[in-house]
Amino acid sequence: MPRQKLDSTAISEKLADVSLWDIDAGEIALTRTFKFADFSEAFGFMARAALVAEKLDHHPEWKNTYRTVEVRLTTHDASGLTGLDFDLAVAMDRIAAGTGRKTGS
Ligand code: H2B
């Protein structure tokens, strides 16, 4: 049941795997701001992440400004966090780590 809303206990356990992400007070969403070397790296990250999102059938809310990508992950169908949000967060971390020329956060 990957799209089943997680309770606080399950969320705290899973947060250990995504330590670079923030969680909002209501435990509805994970957020992370990625910063890359330039727009090309940022957009490349988004292109790769979009393919993973399609595969998972789970899609990010995100905003790109030049070399910054602000990401918010939540499961709209469950009105909260599910395993898919954590799966996508981990995948995005891996993709960002692989771009090589990332400059921060
Ligand atoms: N993405 C996110 N973030 N939350 C959802 O609830 C969701 C989704 N639902 N992508 C999916 C698509 C659903 O609409 C389709 C029909 O599976």
Side-chain angles (χ1 to χ4, degrees):
M1 297 289 253
R3 223 181 284 275
Q4 189 170 321
K5 189 172 173 172
L6 298 172
D7 63 21
S8 285
T9 314
I11 287 171
S12 354
E13 279 169 20
K14 283 188 166 287
L15 275 175
D17 299 331
V18 292
S19 59
L20 298 174
W21 292 73
D22 292 319
I23 187 166
D24 65 316
E27 298 187 330
I28 296 298
L30 298 174
T31 55
R32 183 178 170 192
T33 298
F34 293 89
K35 198 154 246 183
F36 297 90
D38 52 29
F39 174 75
S40 180
E41 291 285 333
F43 201 80
F45 162 78
M46 293 176 82
R48 290 181 188 93
L51 295 177
V52 175
E54 268 297 273
K55 205 167 181 177
L56 291 174
D57 189 28
H58 195 64
H59 303 89
E61 297 174 17
W62 53 10
K63 179 186 175 192
N64 165 234
T65 308
Y66 179 39
R67 63 194 187 96
T68 300
V69 182
E70 293 167 63
V71 182
R72 181 175 185 270
L73 300 179
T74 188
T75 302
H76 307 103
D77 295 342
S79 302
L81 285 167
T82 65
L84 286 170
D85 295 304
F86 288 89
D87 292 347
L88 188 53
V90 168
M92 285 181 155
D93 285 347
R94 289 209 184 110
I95 293 165
T99 57
R101 291 195 289 138
K102 189 165 61 83
T103 57
S105 53

